[in-house]
Amino acid sequence: MPRFSIVVPSHGVAGRLSQTLDSILAQSFGDFELIPVCDAPDSPAADVVAGYAERDSRVTPVHSPPSAGLAGARNTGLRSAVGGHVLFLDGDDVLVPGALAALDARLGAVGDVDVLYFEHERTPWWEGEPANPAAPLLAGAPDGAFSPGRVPRLTGVALPAWSAAYRRGFLTEQGLAFPGDHFTDTGFGGLVALRAERVAALRAVVVRHLLRRQGNRLNLPGEHHAELLDQTELVLTRAVEQGLPADRLGPLFEQLFAAVLKTAAHPRRLPAGRRAFFRRASALYRRHRPAGYQPPGGSLGVQHHLLAAGSYAAFRTLRAANRRAARAAALLPRPRGLRTRLRYAAGLRLPLDENLAVYCAYWGRGYACNPAAIHAKARELAPHIRSVFLVEPDAVDSVPRDVEYAVIGSRKYWQALARAKYLVNNANFADAVVKRPGSVHLQTQHGTPLKKMGADQATYPVVAAATGSFARLLARVDRWDYNLTSNRHSTEMWEKAFPGAHEILEYGYPRNDVYYTASAEDVARARKELGVPDGKKALLYAPTHRDYATGFASGLDLAEFCEAIGDDYVVLLRAHYFYDQGSSRGGGRIIDVTGHRSSEDVCLASDALITDYSSIMFDYANLDRPIVVYADDWEVYREVRGVYFDLMASPPGRVARTPEELAAVFRDGTYADESATALRAAFRERFCQFDDGRAAERVVRRVLLGEPPESIPPVIPLAERVPAPAAATLVRS
């Protein structure tokens, strides 16, 4: 029997789960079993956990459906545990180095107590001083084992479940499990403290708890706050049944109602049903108030008196001024220009248009990418929804004639943004755009992340300086309701880069649908439109942006490259869109396609891809055509820009570090040999998970038509997908 069983629920934390598991498995004290609780065998967390289970026999994952909530996940883990003592960690907590050794030593000194409470550190997700809220509660605890009655303020309800180690036999004998769904720590902590006979304290930090940027899920608005009253009633009822002495009942009552009053006074937590919450809380207060109980002083004491009296009107008045000020600040629109502000503010006062959707791509650069693909599918599946595409003045010509558009900054632009029910973007809307209650914001993204993105850029000075205010970036993230992803890697990276309360949709990128739906005729049309000569093989060269470079400067002399590989090839040059200035570069065998509206057409027209670190490689892999990575400055790029994985260790094909190596792989045919094909297959398995030709349909059905997740078409397995045909089969020249 291991000394410890460590239960780690993992719902919604796949991006940070590895940190938790690493902190446990790296402990110097190794007598434990690790029980990660995953939603399902194919969930994002399960993918992370599977690798650990293969490498370490102490990792024994179990599964609990998301509908069972945190309480269900912990109870599932507890039922599977066989260790002497049980610890519960959140999936983004970490054990400090030496934590298990310290717990083992303390238990050895005090004996096998029912509960060993310890300190924890709450670490701000961004910056700020860590806090240790358990320290004051444990400061007066005796040095050895003691009965809970000796420290009346140690009620259990003010400490989270991950701030203690529990004797498994005690939990089993007493039939203790996590109650309810929400606020389960309150109920569990209170019931444990009521039943425990011998407890002890370790006055040292054992767990570091990450404060999520989006805050505790329990603090989000919703009807679930009524469950706080359920847990309060459960604990107080058990305390009375047990005949808890007055000196213990008073602190328990006060700590429970401190949480209740905090919720009752918080306008955002209870957008509806505040009066009903207050009335029920008032009835509970009067029913369970201990004889002779004296409320605390100050403002909190006033709230106690109003709750006892059931005076909701007076309680509401007490908080009204602050609520009005906060609401006014939150709703104040700030677009530039007085006239524009007034028009936009007037539009915000009108009802949402339930059948209006607004789309934008690349800050208004044109009709492109995922928003354009969703727009096209919406016209087919949801024709009742009016769609308006937002573009800059110089991008109006990119919009198909039958597509309604609005020029960014115009009156129509602000009117549409003020009234639209649905807002779809692959970048972000202007900071001035207000997230209206009832509106639905879909962030589609525009690539799979190799380079660091979002908040993860903060530790890279060159990138951070160009990014601007991270506070403003994250305020934009707060407007998202959905975030789209095309593979599990992106799911995990977006969670860290863009922390927020939105839902991840693992539906694939709609812009990549064409790679499975296009015909040979579509490929021929694209080649003709781009000017690819008949009989020539087209190599797409698509380098990415360098944050440390000024302007576009290809690290490859394309004229010399063309000369080196022979006359059978032409090169389609597609520079990063930052450098699209509408002018041509090169000629003859070098065709500049940077300004072409559709990157998808450019990919379809080519026979192979040459890129460095551009995310186009992840999209192009869907075509299952050869990819060569030209990495002449990988070390510099990785150091300055930051990356999520080592591309050199997991490339989509051959890697060349010099112009000579690049030319050689085309001359000798190794760009498409058996080894290169195997690398591409592994790359596709990892990064083409959800792109199958039906991504746009899934998005429209879920987001615009509101269909339930279980009715959305499933992803077609990779082995069953048929990519669009290539125009030519590349062979050795």
Side-chain angles (χ1 to χ4, degrees), residues 364-645:
R365 289 186 63 249
Y367 186 82
C369 196
N370 291 319
I374 297 170
H375 173 275
K377 184 59 68 171
R379 298 176 76 184
E380 173 189 338
L381 299 180
H384 62 285
I385 295 179
R386 174 191 168 208
S387 299
V388 178
F389 222 94
L390 309 180
V391 291
E392 290 287 356
D394 58 358
V396 169
D397 290 343
S398 75
V399 183
R401 291 185 178 181
D402 60 343
V403 172
E404 183 179 358
Y405 68 89
V407 174
I408 291 177
S410 67
R411 169 187 268 184
K412 182 178 180 180
Y413 166 84
W414 287 110
Q415 287 175 337
L417 286 173
R419 300 288 309 281
K421 166 79 171 184
Y422 307 100
L423 294 94
V424 181
N425 207 326
N426 74 345
N428 264 305
F429 290 101
D431 291 343
V433 173
V434 172
K435 174 66 167 75
R436 295 188 63 177
S439 65
V440 177
H441 285 237
L442 169 64
Q443 169 58 249
T444 73
Q445 302 294 345
H446 53 271
T448 290
L450 167 62
K451 61 188 178 186
K452 292 295 179 76
M453 300 291 291
D456 289 340
Q457 298 172 333
T459 55
Y460 295 86
V462 172
V463 186
T467 300
S469 169
F470 284 96
R472 291 172 64 184
L473 181 150
L474 294 169
R476 295 190 287 269
V477 171
D478 286 340
R479 298 184 302 207
W480 302 354
D481 293 290
Y482 298 104
N483 188 18
L484 198 59
T485 176
S486 60
N487 48 62
R488 192 56 54 75
H489 162 79
S490 296
T491 299
E492 297 175 15
M493 298 309 106
W494 292 150
E495 182 182 315
K496 295 191 297 181
F498 302 114
H502 50 265
E503 179 183 349
I504 292 286
L505 298 181
E506 293 184 321
Y507 287 175
Y509 279 164
R511 71 180 184 189
N512 292 343
D513 285 353
V514 69
Y515 296 143
Y516 296 100
T517 61
S519 63
E521 291 74 19
D522 295 322
V523 172
R525 173 195 53 77
R527 289 171 68 89
K528 182 177 181 180
E529 184 177 329
L530 294 173
V532 178
D534 291 340
K536 296 291 184 179
K537 301 155 191 173
L539 306 180
L540 171 58
Y541 176 50
T544 192
H545 167 64
R546 274 23 174 216
D547 298 270
Y548 47 87
T550 302
F552 174 74
S554 171
L556 180 66
D557 187 318
L558 291 179
E560 290 186 3
F561 173 69
C562 288
E563 185 68 25
I565 62 175
D567 294 337
D568 291 340
Y569 301 94
V570 295
V571 173
L572 304 177
L573 168 63
R574 190 168 181 84
H576 191 278
Y577 60 82
F578 283 178
Y579 310 116
D580 174 16
Q581 299 179 0
S583 58
S584 175
R585 301 184 187 91
R589 293 178 60 193
I590 303 171
I591 305 172
D592 186 353
V593 296
T594 301
H596 192 273
R597 177 180 63 84
S598 171
S599 63
E600 293 76 47
D601 277 0
V602 172
C603 289
L604 286 171
S606 66
D607 298 289
L609 170 68
I610 304 169
T611 187
D612 41 24
Y613 327 118
S614 171
S615 66
I616 198 172
M617 72 179 80
F618 302 99
D619 306 309
Y620 195 88
N622 284 286
L623 289 169
D624 200 16
R625 302 176 189 176
I627 301 173
V628 177
V629 175
Y630 178 56
D632 60 334
D633 61 347
W634 169 247
E635 287 75 16
V636 175
Y637 186 86
R638 180 177 58 186
E639 182 70 22
V640 176
R641 189 60 175 83
V643 295
Y644 286 115
F645 68 93

Side-chain angles (χ1 to χ4, degrees), residues 150-168:
R150 292 185 60 187
V151 186
R153 296 200 63 79
L154 194 55
T155 66
V157 300
L159 288 174
W162 35 261
S163 197
Y166 309 88
R167 184 167 62 86
R168 186 173 61 86

Side-chain angles (χ1 to χ4, degrees), residues 117-467:
Y117 294 106
F118 49 74
E119 297 176 9
H120 63 271
E121 193 173 77
R122 292 179 179 266
T123 306
W125 82 277
W126 189 253
E127 61 183 14
E129 292 297 322
N132 185 347
L137 288 171
L138 302 181
D143 290 335
F146 58 92
S147 66
R150 292 185 60 187
V151 186
R153 296 200 63 79
L154 194 55
T155 66
V157 300
L159 288 174
W162 35 261
S163 197
Y166 309 88
R167 184 167 62 86
R168 186 173 61 86
F170 159 69
L171 297 179
T172 303
E173 293 159 9
Q174 296 294 332
L176 290 167
F178 287 88
D181 186 5
H182 301 88
F183 302 97
T184 186
D185 280 21
T186 300
F188 182 76
L191 296 178
V192 164
L194 289 175
R195 296 292 181 87
E197 296 181 357
R198 295 180 73 250
V199 301
L202 172 60
R203 286 186 287 274
V205 171
V206 172
V207 172
R208 287 200 179 98
H209 174 70
L210 177 70
L211 294 173
R212 299 172 183 170
R213 176 182 172 268
Q214 57 269 40
N216 191 323
R217 292 190 182 99
L218 296 180
N219 295 335
L220 296 175
E223 297 178 354
H224 65 276
H225 288 282
E227 294 186 34
L228 174 58
L229 300 181
D230 296 340
Q231 300 292 347
T232 298
E233 184 172 17
L234 171 65
V235 173
L236 289 174
T237 300
R238 295 285 178 84
V240 171
E241 292 173 350
Q242 189 171 312
L244 197 69
D247 64 334
R248 291 186 63 189
L249 186 57
L252 177 62
F253 177 87
E254 185 168 301
Q255 290 176 19
L256 285 168
F257 275 96
V260 169
L261 283 167
K262 187 175 182 180
T263 296
H266 202 296
R268 290 189 60 198
R269 295 184 189 176
L270 293 167
R274 263 176 267 166
R275 184 186 296 273
F277 182 93
F278 186 89
R279 286 178 174 172
R280 184 184 169 195
S282 178
L284 284 175
Y285 189 97
R286 292 192 297 270
R287 184 186 316 147
H288 291 284
R289 178 173 49 188
Y293 173 73
Q294 293 296 320
S299 175
L300 183 58
V302 174
Q303 294 180 48
H304 270 261
H305 287 296
L306 294 176
L307 188 63
S311 180
Y312 176 71
F315 186 87
R316 183 181 58 187
T317 301
L318 185 67
R319 306 297 298 176
N322 288 340
R323 288 205 302 270
R324 284 196 296 269
R327 189 180 303 118
L331 293 179
L332 181 64
R334 299 184 182 277
R336 294 180 179 179
L338 176 60
R339 183 176 299 177
T340 301
R341 286 200 299 269
L342 293 175
R343 286 174 179 165
Y344 185 51
L348 291 173
R349 289 194 292 269
L350 297 173
L352 281 175
D353 186 337
E354 298 290 328
N355 293 316
L356 175 60
V358 168
Y359 298 82
C360 190
Y362 299 115
W363 303 276
R365 289 186 63 249
Y367 186 82
C369 196
N370 291 319
I374 297 170
H375 173 275
K377 184 59 68 171
R379 298 176 76 184
E380 173 189 338
L381 299 180
H384 62 285
I385 295 179
R386 174 191 168 208
S387 299
V388 178
F389 222 94
L390 309 180
V391 291
E392 290 287 356
D394 58 358
V396 169
D397 290 343
S398 75
V399 183
R401 291 185 178 181
D402 60 343
V403 172
E404 183 179 358
Y405 68 89
V407 174
I408 291 177
S410 67
R411 169 187 268 184
K412 182 178 180 180
Y413 166 84
W414 287 110
Q415 287 175 337
L417 286 173
R419 300 288 309 281
K421 166 79 171 184
Y422 307 100
L423 294 94
V424 181
N425 207 326
N426 74 345
N428 264 305
F429 290 101
D431 291 343
V433 173
V434 172
K435 174 66 167 75
R436 295 188 63 177
S439 65
V440 177
H441 285 237
L442 169 64
Q443 169 58 249
T444 73
Q445 302 294 345
H446 53 271
T448 290
L450 167 62
K451 61 188 178 186
K452 292 295 179 76
M453 300 291 291
D456 289 340
Q457 298 172 333
T459 55
Y460 295 86
V462 172
V463 186
T467 300

